[in-house]
Amino acid sequence: MVNGQSNTPLNIMPLPAKAERGEGLLRIDASFRIAFEGYREPRLERASIRIERQVQRQTGLVILHASKSAGLATLQVATDHESKAIQELGEDESYTLDVAPAGAKLHAPNPLGALRGLQTFLQLIAITPDGFGVTAVHIEDRPRFPWRGLMIDSGRHFIPLDVIKRNLDGMEAVKMNVFHWHLSDNQGFRGESRKFPKLHEQGSDGLFYTQEEIRDVIDYARDRGIRVVPEFDMPGHSTAWFAGYPELASGSGPYAIERQWGIFDPAMDPTDEKTYKFLGEFIGEMARLFPDQFFHIGGDEVNGKEWDANPKIQAFKKSHKIKDNAGLQAYFSGRVQDLVAKHKKTPVGWDEVLVPGVPKSIVIQSWRGVDSLAAAAKDGYRGILSNGYYLDLGWSAARHYTMDPLGGPAAALAPAQKQLILGGESCIWSEYVNAENIDSRIWPRNAAIAERLWSPEGTTDVASMYSRLDAESARLEWLGLEHRSFQRTMLQRIAGTWTPSEFDALRALAQALEHEKDYAREASAGTPPTSLTPLNRLVDAVYPESDLARRFSLLVDQFVAANCKDAAQATEIRAQLAEWATIDDRLQGLAQRSHLVREAVPASAALSQAAKIAVDALDSIQKGAPVSADQKKNHVDFLNALEQQAHKSQLTIPELPAFQKLVEAASASGVCAR
Amino acid sequence: MVNGQSNTPLNIMPLPAKAERGEGLLRIDASFRIAFEGYREPRLERASIRIERQVQRQTGLVILHASKSAGLATLQVATDHESKAIQELGEDESYTLDVAPAGAKLHAPNPLGALRGLQTFLQLIAITPDGFGVTAVHIEDRPRFPWRGLMIDSGRHFIPLDVIKRNLDGMEAVKMNVFHWHLSDNQGFRGESRKFPKLHEQGSDGLFYTQEEIRDVIDYARDRGIRVVPEFDMPGHSTAWFAGYPELASGSGPYAIERQWGIFDPAMDPTDEKTYKFLGEFIGEMARLFPDQFFHIGGDEVNGKEWDANPKIQAFKKSHKIKDNAGLQAYFSGRVQDLVAKHKKTPVGWDEVLVPGVPKSIVIQSWRGVDSLAAAAKDGYRGILSNGYYLDLGWSAARHYTMDPLGGPAAALAPAQKQLILGGESCIWSEYVNAENIDSRIWPRNAAIAERLWSPEGTTDVASMYSRLDAESARLEWLGLEHRSFQRTMLQRIAGTWTPSEFDALRALAQALEHEKDYAREASAGTPPTSLTPLNRLVDAVYPESDLARRFSLLVDQFVAANCKDAAQATEIRAQLAEWATIDDRLQGLAQRSHLVREAVPASAALSQAAKIAVDALDSIQKGAPVSADQKKNHVDFLNALEQQAHKSQLTIPELPAFQKLVEAASASGVCAR
């Protein structure tokens, strides 16, 4: 077996560079013990306790740490030498892992590789007919890209410390190594500043991280081989700064924390020296707090309206021969990059910062497209890809999985230019994300992105990815991630009932549906949501990607591919459709009593009606009575109308393509007509 | 409405002394705010933040604490005066709560009553057709008993601090006011002693609470109106003490932490003055650490074997004219009670300590039966009932609910004697309970016991109790209790699969079954379990009381009571039976791959076979073809044999009485024969 492509695949995610199955099984029991040789450090000792606890959670075995000194270690970890005191971009993360029935050996050049290999070992522990064990295997592994990140937006909704930490645990599990912390935006300034305390005092509604907490997160991340890159977005996305320091702004104020979502006018005044004095001191304070080499200065989405409205700024542009606002932003960026450089840090910015003349040191984070990434590399800039990795857009894992930092125009770059593309970062923007549902908006899909960034380029088998994603999703729950468990309690709140007959209908509805994709929620009619809008609706409680819909669609694919002959498949499809067809009726009682159920009724009615059309199609197929082209068109049109109806609840029906497939298969020209 | 006995009952648990519904609804929205008048203290401010956060969790509303100073309070809390600096037994906990559409008013003599009333208010928040709200109501409430406790055994399995805390949250929610902390037993000594550090160092496998953590728990409990009564069990149940201090024991040792369950020989030497010197200093240290007036000294289950085997102790008995080991224990108890009294504390002991001549100050905790409680009261001793409240025995909530501290022989006591019965305590002994499943072994059933101890004597409607228990169980999840959520992850570990078709069969099995009751698990054949035995089996993952079985049994009751004429009920019964009938087949694949599924196969086979018998009975009923008396007897015998078969997996089939009811209804002499 190479690359895990065997009949009984190893549940490793991301897939290692090389894996060869051996013979036999290493038993995991109460005597489980990790021992270290070679280079040692406290971080490795702590990792050993952490892994041991994780083995306990995964297996339920009782492993007494205190009594583990005797006997042979289950897993021997050999590390050659230390890694950098402050984790650096591009450090060696390779390891080899050999598991045999008598014991496992993990070898890594440095602690980073050891941490990666420990996670692989954890993933390999499985239940067997004779207890828990790890199948014999030889693994040689190293990452494809050196920058594999997750960005969490703590600005729009505050994300509590424990939630951040369990997501760092999740990142470690899938071998991500950069936590990009978006700490300020129009709706909130979340990091304590001791130099400028009004930033967090006036800009956060009291919801911010103290410097002690930030240091705690940095230590926690370092223990897991994860760098922490802070972002303070400027000169736009900065209204929350101005609540405490209106003198930084280009307008006359007054300013208050922004409650709406969108792009807003307030922007820092790039023409006033006191702006740079302030930023110089602020960046200095944060550069000391965050040890990482990289410092993110944002730079996205400045609309320029405050600049245009300010005569002093207009005069400055004229006197400095700056011809447009892009030029003005370039001027600002250049000044801020100097401040960052002064504190010995390397700046990172969103791709708007890439304008002619910007220093080559800056790393470009591309959110607008792969083209800009390739263009930047051609110009000699380093870059990381986030376009295609926005988790808040609700795409499927499969869709994220197809995005490759070296895909598209980047595939044509020269080898040296390709080296400039450092990797990628998934991003969770938090307009519709809070502490309660954030895990579900990140996981498990983020694991597919992590695999894209770690595993060899040829790792593209979607079925294999989903099979391993299912396993990893379950395993991530042992880290305390609530990406699955959050739903039941949210649905109980929405239902306000504890009677299974009623509750089950709501749960069945939730599991069939997904929230609308991309930016549909902003665009929907009615009162625009704000940061004070409760995220307690069905749209907030559904999974971004419905496992049920995915499995059902696969089943329909198989059924139709075999010309609809398989009776067992037909029975299974019919049973599922029958349940969906009754959901709307079963939900009516709840809808009378709960305003949150009532607003989901357009979607439940749409799902039930769509399922009935699919049942009719299945009837036609099984009775051998194909429908006419006109009827088929009516049905397809109706399905599309039902999807629109579901949007009234800001939901989408991911089963519709499968329903349509049945309708088409049932038509006179369809593959299952007979 | 009086006592919540209306058509639309208020989901309050425990039921208040008096509740009268008013007209209209108080809306709960983002402007929710609590204000205080009268006596104020920081504990009330903290409670206000806590309640606010809880309202956010229950509703999903965004309530910004920082901006809440303006406008009228939703809930006005008026408190007359302070409560005792150290919470005392018998303090006033009464309150009145008036909810009207314009606002709610809570009045209490002291903060304890205010805390109780706040919990009632939280329980009243419900979802409505127009948002969240509280229905208008007038409540006057006070507890029936002053001592309403939960005992957690941290000795046999260590229960981590966060688990203790969330259970304190649960206790507050159901108005319990005593946390009895069983801190030492043969299998572990869990409290840090600075005077005698080998107690926790040698007696806990490193799993103990520091004094700082203990103080934290005491503060946390006090904030919730809960007293903390520590228990250090002696002279028996004390092997873990001897691991560090063998000189305290009556035998010659050596001693190590006990790993087995049961009653063991080691006991303190009651004849050696150095025992009392040690205990005097130890009790002094703990009396300073735990501020509560009461101090539990255990005293249960001393088998006397070490005493009998020690010539010095035998000589002491002779020279002191102590005629038996009960007398020796009485001597020990008297000495220890003196030590407790010396530190100005009041002792509590299990009912074995009640021997002639024991000082009247001791409070008797009755675990062996209600008789001893009444007898103690007759003799002038105060007592608390735990018999009937052992949560680890797996009884139904209904069965615990029937136990009344003033029931049985206590009902015949004179009023002054009844006053001596202070209340009761539920107990969770932790042989088969750990951090992962303890919440499920305590909740929701503990809420039924809490109601027994708080609500008026006449509160005995089981259907009303279960209806409110369902609601409270869901609400308790917002406190972080994992009594429901723990199961899915445990089942995923047992299954080792993430394929719904397989996993669903295991879940259906788990939800149908319960663990064996009382002490069956100790008595079962095979290797006896120890403290190192993993609690990762299906028996550890099932709920002690199956909601599904309860609902199914009610349905069968209704069906048979109406002479089996209701076709809709028959359909519902048949659908459920059909699912159970197929479980064993559906589980076979998993059983091949997982040793933990395999060991549940006797139970799954038994359930499926039993369900088939019930299906046959239903067929007979619906076809009007009654079965003969002989056939009926065969079926009943077979059902009993299947129950025995389920015991091989240490599980029980709580649906069997309902199945038997169908079999009997279907017989020629049955009510549904036609």
Side-chain angles (χ1 to χ4, degrees), chain A residues 2 237 253 374 460 511 661:
Chain A
V2 177
H237 282 284
T460 53
Q511 296 191 342
K661 199 164 212 173

Side-chain angles (χ1 to χ4, degrees), chain A residues 190-453:
Chain A
R190 307 300 184 183
E192 180 195 16
S193 169
R194 292 182 184 166
K195 278 202 178 300
F196 304 104
K198 284 189 285 182
L199 283 172
H200 63 274
E201 285 169 10
Q202 307 287 319
S204 77
D205 299 307
L207 299 170
F208 64 92
Y209 311 101
T210 65
Q211 293 203 357
E212 191 181 353
E213 287 171 335
I214 288 170
R215 276 189 208 97
D216 182 30
V217 165
I218 292 166
D219 290 347
Y220 194 91
R222 181 182 155 75
D223 258 14
R224 286 152 182 79
I226 298 170
R227 298 163 39 217
V228 179
V229 175
E231 177 186 355
F232 295 96
D233 206 347
M234 54 185 102
H237 282 284
S238 52
T239 310
W241 304 54
F242 307 151
Y245 298 94
E247 62 271 27
L248 294 175
S250 303
S252 53
Y255 294 96
I257 296 171
E258 181 59 58
R259 304 294 179 195
Q260 310 286 323
W261 307 131
I263 298 174
F264 299 94
D265 302 345
M268 292 177 184
D269 184 346
T271 70
D272 194 330
E273 282 305 311
K274 73 174 180 307
T275 302
Y276 301 109
K277 180 167 184 302
F278 183 105
L279 291 177
E281 288 181 40
F282 175 76
I283 289 170
E285 182 185 16
M286 293 302 138
R288 287 186 292 277
L289 180 61
F290 290 92
D292 198 76
Q293 178 59 37
F294 293 84
F295 193 96
H296 204 303
I297 55 173
D300 54 323
E301 298 183 326
V302 183
N303 70 12
K305 288 191 188 170
E306 270 199 355
W307 293 346
D308 292 341
N310 184 328
K312 191 175 70 83
I313 294 176
Q314 291 307 311
F316 181 92
K317 279 165 73 176
K318 254 185 211 146
S319 67
H320 285 69
K321 303 203 183 345
I322 295 171
K323 67 170 196 281
D324 56 15
N325 285 338
L328 193 58
Q329 186 173 347
Y331 170 78
F332 175 85
S333 284
R335 293 289 301 270
V336 171
Q337 285 182 58
D338 288 347
L339 297 173
V340 170
K342 193 183 133 201
H343 294 287
K344 310 259 186 297
K345 300 282 180 176
T346 305
V348 188
W350 298 103
D351 48 12
E352 286 97 328
V353 301
L354 185 63
V355 289
V358 70
K360 297 281 180 195
S361 67
I362 198 163
V363 175
I364 304 300
Q365 182 165 15
S366 171
W367 69 280
R368 293 188 298 189
V370 285
D371 294 4
S372 64
L373 195 66
K378 269 193 183 151
D379 282 350
Y381 291 93
R382 293 184 293 178
I384 48 183
L385 182 66
S386 281
N387 177 271
Y389 299 146
Y390 271 23
L391 292 162
D392 48 299
L393 301 187
W395 296 6
S396 69
R399 186 169 171 194
H400 289 304
Y401 199 59
T402 62
M403 295 298 301
D404 193 309
L406 292 178
L413 292 173
Q417 291 166 337
K418 283 185 177 176
Q419 290 290 322
L420 295 173
I421 294 181
L422 303 174
E425 269 188 12
S426 54
C427 297
I428 181 73
W429 298 103
S430 65
E431 282 92 341
Y432 306 105
V433 165
N434 63 10
E436 188 169 17
N437 72 354
I438 188 171
D439 293 356
S440 74
R441 273 53 186 151
I442 297 176
W443 306 100
R445 295 173 303 143
N446 191 48
I449 299 172
E451 174 155 297
R452 173 60 48 242
L453 299 174

Side-chain angles (χ1 to χ4, degrees), chain B residues 382 406 414-422:
Chain B
R382 292 183 294 178
L406 292 177
Q417 291 167 339
K418 282 186 177 174
Q419 290 290 322
L420 295 173
I421 295 181
L422 304 174

Side-chain angles (χ1 to χ4, degrees), chain B residues 238-252:
Chain B
S238 52
T239 309
W241 304 54
F242 307 150
Y245 299 93
E247 62 271 26
L248 294 175
S250 304
S252 53

